[in-house]
Amino acid sequence: MASPRKQCSSAVKMCGSATVAQRRHIGLQQLEAIAATTHGFLGPNKRPKFIQDEDARDAMLVSSCSRLLECIELGCSVGQLLLEMVQAQQKLFHSGTGALVFLAGVWSRVALECLNRGITVLDIKTVMRKGLEVCLEVCKQSAVRVEEVSCQKLKDCKPTSALKSDMQDRKMQHMDVKHSQNLRLTLKHSRHFNFHDAQTENTPTALNDVTHIAQAVSHGCDSSMHLVLKACKLQSKNTENAQNRSLDIQKLVTCLIPGLSEGKSSVLHGFVTLLSVEQASVVRHLQGQALNIALVNGDLCEKYHHMGFNRPGNVVRITDRANMSGVSLEERWTEDALRKLHEFSIDVVLVSGTAGMKLKDRVLGANVLVIEGVKSSILKDFSTCTGVVPVSYVTQIDENCVGQGVTVSQLRDFSGKNDLVAVSIVTANTSLVTAVISSSVSAKLQSLEDQFWSCAHRLHQALTDGKLLHGAGTTELLCIQQLHQSKQTEMENPQEGVVLELMAEAWMDYVSTLMMNSGSVASKAETWTAIAHQMRHYKDGDAISMQMDADGAGVYDNVTVKSEAWRRALDLVFLVLQSDTEIITGVSEGENVYRELMYL
């Protein structure tokens, strides 16, 4: 077990063979060493790490670069830069962090090797940037439309067991539409049945049937992608255009329930959350009724002030009467809040922040349900569907800040540990859905949630881009091919060929690690031999294989996610390279500047 209390130097030791040479480009070496600890997260068959917090006496199973870097203590600046870069990628795409960290490590090694060969920093940055542009052009030229992927999946690929049920539902729906069309063809010759039906023309197309696209970008996470497809289907049922099988990420939330088996995971309409037993008693009192709702954007307590509030300086409150009643300001505020809730008959209050303890205790007796920590996207959806205006303070509530038509119910099939009860909050015309993720292993819940969001964002990004890239290392093989081809052209700078060759070797390291983690090869040496064999075939005039192995058949990656991960990785390497160079002293032009370096 690895402790989360690890310094950056400890992370360097974790990579075994990688040791930081003193008085060299330490930042690049640290980046390479930290990246080496995450190689097990590359590919579909990830090797999770068990992180134990010695202070909290808690443990968590991590299977992604972002979670690992968040758990270990990165004391060096390079580690912090890497963490921030990974978090930016994760926040935007929820995938691609494994490739980002791996490439940051191997491209750091490329930069170090170039420095050892006497290539200047300017030449390194210029040529590596050119090499990246070559690879991005490969992505642009080799991308395939999602319609082609869907049709190819329909013809060739066998669906996994987790996705078969959704595909069967889509098949039955298509048969029903086809039967309806045949019936209309039979009756259309009668003047009583010669009508035009718009639904006949708007039958689901290959693009709308996202099942095959989802299978292409599932990356081995079939159960999580199955939940995503269920969410997509539920959202389409509650939108005006039911044939549009797109996925709205902003109207998708998760609820983690420990103690139940993973097979209990499901997708439900509305907002599902876990509440205490005391709050569940309020739900039982309110269920079956049309309720009024209020939305509070902030904390529901007496001392809360909205963002940007500035208390006047040098102001002292003076009263001419002593506080003889002994009632505190918090108690007085609590009474005012309860009076306001009772005045407008509010039954449910959703709060983005936290609520005061005294108010939470008092509202239980008044049968008012207050739910804390609600995401802003959920507040926005309830605001849109009910017409309610969110407020910053409970005293601002008026008739325009009260929504109607909300229903609550207790989900008896989902009961977590520690006496927590699952509750559903639904309003009419909402397309908000909740993925209820359960596991009997509490330490695994976080990884399952990350896996679900990764699948959801990959599918959403595929439909947004409209294009996909061949996965399983195929696109990277094409990059190696193009880098070798660029190296053979005439170059003004003789060092350019050296840098491009090193970048090609870095891609070979990436592909070999990917294949080894997938279990298709036994060692990296075997993979390098297979890649070299592919390159020889290309030199003989044969086209490079679009799928290296049967295990990689039908695997696709997102165009934007992959391109952004590559750009971020190289930008990070350049930043560390430039920082290392600027703090080097005692260097003059024309000398072997990387033999004896001194750091401040």
Side-chain angles (χ1 to χ4, degrees):
M1 297 183 182
S3 170
R5 305 298 181 186
K6 288 193 177 292
Q7 302 294 331
C8 190
S9 58
S10 301
V12 170
K13 295 177 183 178
M14 289 170 63
C15 62
S17 60
T19 57
V20 176
Q22 297 299 322
R23 304 181 68 180
R24 300 279 179 168
H25 277 258
I26 295 180
L28 291 175
Q29 295 179 68
Q30 289 176 338
L31 184 56
E32 180 187 357
I34 297 173
T37 65
T38 66
H39 285 186
F41 298 145
L42 194 65
N45 300 329
K46 295 176 173 57
R47 298 197 296 270
K49 295 182 184 293
F50 209 38
I51 304 297
Q52 182 180 8
D53 191 339
E54 296 175 353
D55 296 336
R57 296 187 178 277
D58 195 7
M60 182 173 61
L61 199 66
V62 298
S63 56
S64 66
C65 298
S66 58
R67 292 297 179 186
L68 178 64
L69 294 177
E70 288 173 357
C71 289
I72 63 177
E73 186 174 336
L74 300 169
C76 61
S77 58
V78 172
Q80 292 296 330
L81 287 174
L82 178 61
L83 175 60
E84 291 176 7
M85 194 73 75
V86 167
Q87 287 177 335
Q89 177 80 12
Q90 182 71 11
K91 181 179 179 180
L92 189 59
F93 300 111
H94 284 262
S95 61
T97 56
L100 191 159
V101 177
F102 190 99
L103 292 176
V106 293
W107 283 344
S108 295
R109 187 171 69 237
V110 169
L112 283 170
E113 182 61 27
C114 292
L115 293 172
N116 292 333
R117 298 190 185 190
I119 303 176
T120 65
V121 173
L122 179 60
D123 288 341
I124 293 172
K125 294 173 67 174
T126 301
V127 181
M128 290 189 72
R129 181 68 68 184
K130 177 182 177 181
L132 177 62
E133 293 301 325
V134 170
C135 297
L136 293 177
E137 185 64 24
V138 168
C139 293
K140 182 179 179 180
Q141 297 297 330
S142 61
V144 293
R145 296 167 59 240
V146 291
E147 294 92 339
E148 299 176 14
V149 174
S150 181
C151 293
Q152 187 66 27
K153 279 284 182 180
L154 183 62
K155 292 178 182 178
D156 301 334
C157 295
K158 296 180 180 180
T160 58
S161 57
L163 298 176
K164 281 182 179 179
S165 60
D166 186 82
M167 295 178 66
Q168 186 66 25
D169 293 342
R170 296 296 298 162
K171 183 178 180 181
M172 294 301 297
Q173 180 183 354
H174 179 71
M175 291 176 63
D176 292 341
V177 173
K178 186 175 181 180
H179 175 73
S180 178
Q181 290 175 345
N182 292 337
L183 181 61
R184 289 183 177 87
L185 287 174
T186 306
L187 300 175
K188 74 175 184 178
H189 295 290
S190 170
R191 60 187 177 91
H192 298 289
F193 297 98
N194 190 15
F195 60 90
H196 180 76
D197 190 355
Q199 185 179 1
T200 306
E201 293 185 353
N202 294 329
T203 55
T205 62
L207 178 59
N208 288 333
D209 188 4
V210 299
T211 304
H212 300 100
I213 302 173
Q215 185 183 0
V217 297
S218 63
H219 292 187
C221 305
D222 298 329
S223 57
S224 295
M225 187 59 80
H226 185 53
L227 293 178
V228 173
L229 286 173
K230 283 186 175 181
C232 184
K233 186 185 298 183
L234 269 180
Q235 285 185 347
S236 66
K237 287 181 179 179
N238 294 279
T239 55
E240 295 181 358
N241 184 9
Q243 299 296 340
N244 185 12
R245 295 293 302 276
S246 62
L247 181 65
D248 190 349
I249 294 292
Q250 298 300 320
K251 296 185 178 181
L252 184 62
V253 293
T254 55
C255 177
L256 305 182
I257 299 183
L260 300 179
S261 64
E262 295 182 24
K264 293 288 187 178
S265 299
S266 182
V267 176
L268 302 175
H269 182 223
F271 172 48
V272 178
T273 186
L274 292 178
L275 300 179
S276 63
V277 175
E278 293 78 11
Q279 289 176 305
S281 63
V282 177
V283 172
R284 287 192 292 271
H285 177 80
L286 296 176
Q287 65 182 3
Q289 307 175 37
L291 308 175
N292 295 335
I293 188 173
L295 308 177
V296 178
N297 190 13
D299 294 337
L300 189 58
C301 61
E302 182 267 331
K303 293 184 178 180
Y304 171 75
H305 295 290
H306 63 274
M307 186 72 68
F309 174 83
N310 293 319
R311 187 182 299 274
N314 301 324
V315 175
V316 179
R317 181 179 178 181
I318 299 176
T319 179
D320 55 354
R321 288 187 296 177
N323 185 10
M324 302 300 294
S325 64
V327 179
S328 65
L329 291 176
E330 183 180 5
E331 291 175 345
R332 189 178 305 168
W333 175 89
T334 302
E335 292 294 336
D336 292 340
L338 288 172
R339 191 179 302 109
K340 182 69 70 170
L341 296 177
H342 177 73
E343 177 184 354
F344 292 97
S345 303
I346 296 175
D347 306 296
V348 180
V349 182
L350 300 184
V351 186
S352 64
T354 59
M357 291 299 299
K358 289 187 178 181
L359 180 63
K360 288 194 295 184
D361 293 338
R362 295 288 300 275
V363 296
L364 291 176
N367 288 322
V368 176
L369 184 63
V370 176
I371 301 178
E372 307 170 89
V374 180
K375 294 182 179 179
S376 58
S377 60
I378 301 175
L379 294 181
K380 182 179 179 181
D381 182 78
F382 275 94
S383 175
T384 303
C385 296
T386 62
V388 58
V389 179
V391 297
S392 297
Y393 305 96
V394 67
T395 54
Q396 295 175 326
I397 294 178
D398 56 21
E399 60 274 4
N400 297 322
C401 303
V402 180
Q404 299 176 345
V406 176
T407 59
V408 297
S409 60
Q410 181 178 338
L411 305 177
R412 301 185 181 277
D413 294 337
F414 300 97
S415 57
K417 290 182 178 179
N418 303 324
D419 297 327
L420 295 177
V421 179
V423 173
S424 173
I425 306 172
V426 183
T427 183
N429 301 322
T430 180
S431 58
L432 182 70
V433 297
T434 302
V436 179
I437 301 174
S438 60
S439 177
S440 56
V441 181
S442 300
K444 194 177 179 182
L445 277 172
Q446 187 68 72
S447 295
L448 290 175
E449 184 184 27
D450 292 342
Q451 197 177 92
F452 171 82
W453 282 115
S454 181
C455 288
H457 277 267
R458 280 200 299 267
L459 178 58
H460 172 74
Q461 196 65 47
L463 297 175
T464 301
D465 292 342
K467 293 182 179 180
L468 288 171
L469 291 172
H470 289 277
T474 301
T475 302
E476 288 75 14
L477 272 180
L478 295 173
C479 291
I480 297 173
Q481 165 191 314
Q482 289 301 315
L483 288 173
H484 284 165
Q485 187 175 2
S486 300
K487 187 184 65 173
Q488 296 172 359
T489 60
E490 294 184 3
M491 302 176 184
E492 298 179 359
N493 188 347
Q495 304 289 355
E496 189 171 332
V498 177
V499 180
L500 293 179
E501 176 63 29
L502 291 174
M503 289 193 72
E505 291 180 2
W507 280 123
M508 292 178 70
D509 193 5
Y510 177 91
V511 176
S512 61
T513 304
L514 185 65
M515 293 181 65
M516 191 172 67
N517 289 353
S518 65
S520 57
V521 294
S523 64
K524 281 192 175 183
E526 182 180 343
T527 310
W528 280 62
T529 303
I531 295 174
H533 183 68
Q534 288 278 352
M535 294 301 107
R536 282 196 299 269
H537 275 290
Y538 169 72
K539 290 178 181 179
D540 294 337
D542 296 337
I544 195 168
S545 174
M546 291 308 294
Q547 295 292 350
M548 296 178 299
D549 192 89
D551 295 336
V555 179
Y556 290 85
D557 295 326
N558 295 118
V559 178
T560 304
V561 174
K562 188 181 284 286
S563 302
E564 284 301 311
W566 294 0
R567 288 192 180 97
R568 292 179 193 269
L570 192 61
D571 288 342
L572 178 60
V573 172
F574 285 170
L575 179 60
V576 175
L577 172 62
Q578 190 66 34
S579 300
D580 280 354
T581 303
E582 289 178 357
I583 62 176
I584 294 174
T585 61
V587 176
S588 60
E589 292 294 334
E591 297 180 358
N592 187 356
V593 296
Y594 301 105
R595 178 174 299 172
E596 293 294 335
L597 302 181
M598 183 181 298
Y599 278 76
L600 295 176

